[in-house]
Amino acid sequence: MASFALVALDVPLKKLFAYALAGFTPAVGSRVLVPFGPRRLSAVVMELRDDAADFTGTPKAILATFDDLPALTSDTLQLCQFVADYYHYPIGAVLSAALPTAFRGTAAFREPAAASVYFVDDVDVLLNQLSKRAPAQRRIAEALLVPHTPAALRRLHDSAWRWVQAWHAAGWVSAAAEECRVGVASPDLPLNAEQALVVNELTTATDFSPFLLYGITGSGKTEVYLQTISQVLARGLQVLVLIPEINLTPQLEGRFRARFPGVRMAALHSGLNNTERAVNWLAALRGEAQIVLGTRLAVFTPLPKLGMIVVDEEHDPSFKQQEGLRYSARDVAVYRARQAKVPIVLGSATPSIESWANAKAKRYRLLPLTQRAVPGAVLPKITLLPTKNVGLVDGLHVMALAAMHAALARGEQVLIFLNRRGFSPVLQCGECGWMASCSHCSARLVLHLKERRLRCHHCGHEEAITPACPDCGNHDLKPVGQGTQRMEESLPQHFPGKKILRIDRDSTSKKGELDAALAQVHSGEADIIIGTQMLAKGHDFDRLNCVVVLNADTGLYSVDFRAEERLFALLTQVAGRAGRRETPGEVFIQTAFSDHPFYHQLLARDYAPFANRTLEERNMLLLPPASAWALFRADAPELEQALAALTQIRMCIAPEPNLTLNQPVAATMLKRAGVERAQLLIAAKSKAQLQAVLDEALPAIQALKLGKVRWTLDVDPVEV
């Protein structure tokens, strides 16, 4: 009979804590309440034993067990332990991150009654009751072709739930319990020969089978996912689908719900409140939710009947967490598929070089899709518009303006892609050259003219626009460079009467604003869309056939060795928004370096040669994936303190063959949020060697007394 439990606590210590069992024996994986100093904390039982392990005092007793959470399975605990070991992070903190917020506190979570969903079977009946001058109401009505909960409706529009209640009372909208709602599934789309071959490969795979689905933009990767998932569900299994960003969730969720209306689906992303996330997570854990669709953190969701994992846009850097537990959801998903012995599909038009290397080495099976899914659709034509010694008109090349006029005259939509928010990235004095800078970061303040504010996009600091130069007193301060707000302000004079819509983080900061903006694009209300990278991937706009890309050159001369890879992916994704139907698309890229080899590769429209060349360069220079990296970062009030701390850390690591210990250096952005930053890079020949080195060195590193210096470790960093 066990007398003690070893539990994991969300504290910055890499150990388990022993507690005495007081008359009851909780299951391994269950949630319990324990005393910890003067506090009471939630903990997860990791082991039951008849002694207190290495605890030297008298262990305190567990105070209570929670009945709100079924015991986590051994697979879930083992997955979290792997993440803790690989990324060298406390197991309690990993488990805390893996659990929804509702299960991290000291109170039991009480599941609310099942929510109802609201829907229309004949949307025309409802639309006939609504004014044509109420576009927002009409968008909500059309959205009800897919069942929505009240919470989901509130995310679409502040008044959506009130409108739907009124329509339901009038009999124009139906309601049903969410799990009971069954409708008519949207039909499978016809597959071309390539798609059919891929679906057959995926559905006949057994055991752990990693696939790299390399498909050009518009090649129908989502339809491949849907038809493959359909067959997995038919076997009574669950599917985990990971996507990189929350703004892709509503559109993809809508397609999934339309295809599988009778299937319980759990969405997991930051747009949900704590209760919604906990309810969906429990549905997955119990096996009730057959499809889990989520962003990065959903990779930890317990799935007792897991049958397949899909990672869409696998190359996207947002799969790597950059704060706290710095894990890669893509890499954890691959490990999880191996653990569960199920197939995993990594999909992208521009695979990461790491995944490309795995495919070249036959560790992943490469599945190509080289044709667009819509018959007659072709990749858009890309044209470079040289800007050297060319007079731009409000930041636009005259040929870009002409192409935009022509597209609008044909009734098509235009996208201006500019990955810079605000009015202007710099406010400068014309006399002495002073530029507005953030007092907390090594960065310029961005001018937001409409709000009359200067903002730092790194730490969030903002201040009023200064009326005069603080250095010389000159009142003639000029905005330098182009931002989305400035483009939005200048376009009406060139395109009078056209509906111009800006979609960026500033214009879609409130709940429902992004969904409403995308609905305007899909409905054809917007003629010209000005967008940042929020619109670069995953969106399918029927009438969008002209794309103009501004400010693309910034990725060519970055200190980051991954900059060209990311720029290639970004431009490929942006270009892929154009011409996704029968009408050929046009893409115009304004550049001051039209003769750069990078653009010649981009114009070739074939990612494989670029990926092969990049992989060869990295192998030659011993850059990832040819080597394994770990990055120690240090934050301190002064740079010298951070560098001194990293020097001590470096001394704790024993030199050995095939291990490179670089010298500590200042971070690329020296100062951020009021602290100065430095970094120490370690490179090893293999991941196994790197892990062995870290395992040996970290106990000594953690014992260092570094004063006010805060250090972190990032294994497999994507930002250096």
Side-chain angles (χ1 to χ4, degrees):
M1 195 72 178
S3 301
F4 300 92
L6 297 185
V7 306
L9 287 165
D10 184 13
V11 294
L13 296 172
K14 295 182 179 179
K15 59 178 291 187
L16 299 178
F17 297 85
Y19 284 86
L21 303 178
F24 51 81
T25 304
V28 172
S30 62
R31 195 165 80 94
V32 295
L33 182 68
V34 299
F36 189 78
R39 298 179 292 166
R40 294 184 171 194
L41 298 178
S42 171
V44 174
V45 177
M46 299 296 290
E47 184 183 346
L48 298 174
R49 53 191 297 153
D50 56 7
D51 60 58
D54 57 355
F55 189 79
T56 55
T58 302
K60 296 180 180 179
I62 291 175
L63 300 174
T65 60
F66 293 99
D67 60 358
D68 55 355
L69 176 68
L72 300 176
T73 65
S74 59
D75 283 350
T76 300
L77 296 178
Q78 197 275 329
L79 176 69
C80 291
Q81 188 63 60
F82 163 76
V83 170
D85 293 342
Y86 186 83
Y87 294 102
H88 301 274
Y89 208 70
I91 178 60
V94 173
L95 281 163
S96 179
L99 291 173
T101 304
F103 299 115
R104 301 176 195 170
T106 57
F109 172 72
R110 293 295 171 238
E111 201 168 354
S116 293
V117 290
Y118 294 79
F119 56 93
V120 292
D121 292 315
D122 189 344
V123 70
D124 292 332
V125 173
L126 176 55
L127 290 174
N128 288 336
Q129 310 298 324
L130 304 178
S131 170
K132 293 184 178 179
R133 297 182 178 180
Q137 292 189 35
R138 297 179 74 85
R139 285 197 299 273
I140 299 302
E142 291 172 343
L144 290 175
L145 284 168
V146 175
H148 281 68
T149 63
L153 288 165
R154 291 188 185 98
R155 288 195 293 273
L156 295 180
H157 192 282
D158 290 342
S159 301
W161 173 227
R162 176 169 53 83
W163 295 335
V164 172
Q165 285 178 300
W167 300 340
H168 178 55
W172 303 329
V173 170
S174 302
E178 184 172 16
E179 63 270 18
C180 298
R181 165 62 180 159
V182 178
V184 178
S186 62
D188 289 350
L189 300 179
L191 301 177
N192 60 33
E194 283 186 328
Q195 289 175 303
L197 181 63
V198 168
V199 170
N200 181 65
E201 288 275 357
L202 297 178
T203 54
T204 56
T206 57
D207 209 315
F208 170 62
S209 305
F211 295 95
L212 180 59
L213 180 57
Y214 166 44
I216 64 171
T217 55
S219 60
K221 292 187 290 293
T222 303
E223 185 63 27
V224 166
Y225 300 152
L226 289 169
Q227 296 199 25
T228 302
I229 288 170
S230 176
Q231 297 192 42
V232 176
L233 298 180
R235 301 199 298 268
L237 301 176
Q238 295 172 290
V239 177
L240 172 63
V241 181
L242 298 179
I243 56 177
E245 295 180 19
I246 184 177
N247 66 67
L248 298 178
T249 309
Q251 179 175 313
L252 197 59
E253 185 178 353
R255 288 193 65 176
F256 272 71
R257 290 193 184 279
R259 185 64 61 88
F260 307 115
V263 172
R264 180 79 180 270
M265 184 183 304
L268 293 170
H269 52 76
S270 60
L272 305 177
N273 62 39
N274 290 342
T275 299
E276 291 171 326
R277 190 177 186 101
V279 167
N280 287 353
W281 193 87
L282 283 173
L285 182 150
R286 294 169 182 152
E288 298 165 358
Q290 294 165 275
I291 300 174
V292 172
L293 174 65
T295 48
R296 186 173 54 224
L297 203 54
V299 73
F300 294 104
T301 308
L303 295 161
K305 298 179 289 185
L306 181 61
M308 175 173 280
I309 299 176
V310 175
V311 183
D312 194 27
E313 308 291 357
E314 66 86 26
H315 68 276
D316 199 290
S318 62
F319 278 123
K320 179 69 187 283
Q321 170 72 25
Q322 296 296 339
E323 298 293 335
L325 172 59
R326 291 170 168 82
Y327 69 98
S328 165
R330 178 198 64 203
D331 296 348
V332 173
V334 173
Y335 176 85
R336 185 170 185 184
R338 181 189 297 275
Q339 176 195 43
K341 299 180 180 179
V342 300
I344 180 169
V345 187
L346 309 177
S348 178
T350 53
S352 65
I353 299 302
E354 287 79 6
S355 294
W356 191 261
N358 281 326
K360 296 280 286 185
K362 307 298 182 184
R363 287 187 287 269
Y364 294 172
R365 176 78 178 274
L366 185 65
L367 300 177
L369 292 175
T370 61
Q371 305 168 17
R372 286 205 149 180
V374 175
V378 295
L379 288 173
K381 177 186 177 183
I382 297 180
T383 302
L384 300 180
L385 299 180
T387 57
K388 275 187 179 178
N389 304 317
V390 174
L392 301 180
V393 182
D394 291 320
L396 290 167
H397 196 285
V398 290
M399 290 182 63
L401 281 169
M404 293 169 65
H405 278 291
L408 293 170
R410 296 191 298 266
E412 298 168 359
Q413 291 173 313
V414 173
L415 169 64
I416 297 180
F417 179 79
L418 176 57
N419 207 24
R420 277 183 175 171
R421 293 185 288 131
F423 186 86
S424 170
V426 177
L427 182 66
Q428 185 175 30
C429 172
E431 288 293 325
C432 69
W434 168 88
M435 290 181 280
S437 299
C438 178
S439 56
H440 306 285
C441 299
S442 304
R444 306 295 182 196
L445 291 174
V446 177
L447 173 62
H448 288 252
L449 194 60
K450 287 187 176 181
E451 300 88 346
R452 305 294 301 171
R453 306 291 287 175
L454 293 169
R455 291 179 181 161
C456 177
H457 288 178
H458 297 279
C459 72
H461 168 75
E462 64 176 76
E463 58 189 59
I465 299 175
T466 178
C469 173
D471 287 355
C472 69
N474 175 38
H475 286 266
D476 185 21
L477 303 181
K478 298 179 179 179
V480 178
Q482 199 87 357
T484 51
Q485 288 183 2
R486 190 171 194 172
M487 182 59 62
E488 180 186 28
E489 183 179 276
S490 65
L491 282 179
Q493 61 183 312
H494 301 291
F495 303 96
K498 297 299 181 182
K499 169 67 174 177
I500 298 168
L501 179 65
R502 173 169 58 89
I503 301 180
D504 57 23
R505 195 183 303 172
D506 298 320
S507 66
T508 58
S509 58
K510 296 180 181 177
K511 272 191 174 182
E513 288 182 327
L514 177 59
D515 293 328
L518 292 175
Q520 290 185 58
V521 180
H522 284 292
S523 66
E525 293 177 51
D527 299 305
I528 302 175
I529 306 102
I530 306 167
T532 59
Q533 104 179 20
M534 293 174 66
L535 294 183
K537 50 185 173 288
H539 301 289
D540 195 347
F541 304 127
D542 290 347
R543 292 176 48 214
L544 179 61
N545 287 318
C546 179
V547 174
V548 178
V549 180
L550 310 182
N551 196 41
D553 294 336
T554 54
L556 293 179
Y557 298 99
S558 170
V559 296
D560 186 352
F561 71 91
R562 290 188 174 96
E564 284 195 11
E565 175 191 351
R566 291 176 178 169
L567 181 59
F568 200 110
L570 181 62
L571 294 180
T572 299
Q573 294 288 349
V574 172
R577 299 315 103 205
R580 295 173 73 90
R581 297 296 179 265
E582 292 80 4
T583 305
E586 296 179 299
V587 179
F588 299 89
I589 300 176
Q590 296 189 181
T591 173
F593 306 100
S594 56
D595 56 349
H596 195 287
F598 170 84
Y599 285 118
H600 293 295
Q601 292 182 316
L602 182 70
L603 291 176
R605 312 310 308 277
D606 189 352
Y607 182 72
F610 171 81
N612 289 332
R613 179 188 65 82
T614 303
L615 183 57
E616 288 175 6
E617 290 177 352
R618 296 200 188 165
N619 288 336
M620 183 173 59
L621 298 173
L622 295 180
L623 297 172
S627 62
W629 282 11
L631 191 70
F632 285 95
R633 293 185 174 94
D635 297 347
E638 301 292 339
L639 176 61
E640 291 74 16
Q641 295 171 302
L643 291 171
L646 290 177
T647 299
Q648 292 186 60
I649 289 175
R650 187 177 185 273
M651 293 174 65
C652 294
I653 304 172
E656 61 180 69
N658 299 317
L659 180 70
T660 301
L661 297 176
N662 291 283
Q663 293 294 329
V665 295
T668 305
M669 177 177 283
L670 170 60
K671 187 177 180 182
R672 184 170 182 176
V675 297
E676 300 201 346
R677 313 186 308 155
Q679 60 192 40
L680 167 65
L681 180 65
I682 302 172
K685 185 177 181 180
S686 67
K687 291 180 182 293
Q689 182 189 20
L690 180 66
Q691 289 295 324
V693 167
L694 293 174
D695 285 337
E696 183 178 350
L698 279 170
I701 293 172
Q702 289 160 349
L704 292 173
K705 305 297 183 184
L706 299 177
K708 296 181 180 180
V709 179
R710 176 180 175 269
W711 66 269
T712 57
L713 171 62
D714 189 356
V715 179
D716 300 334
V718 296
E719 293 184 1
V720 180

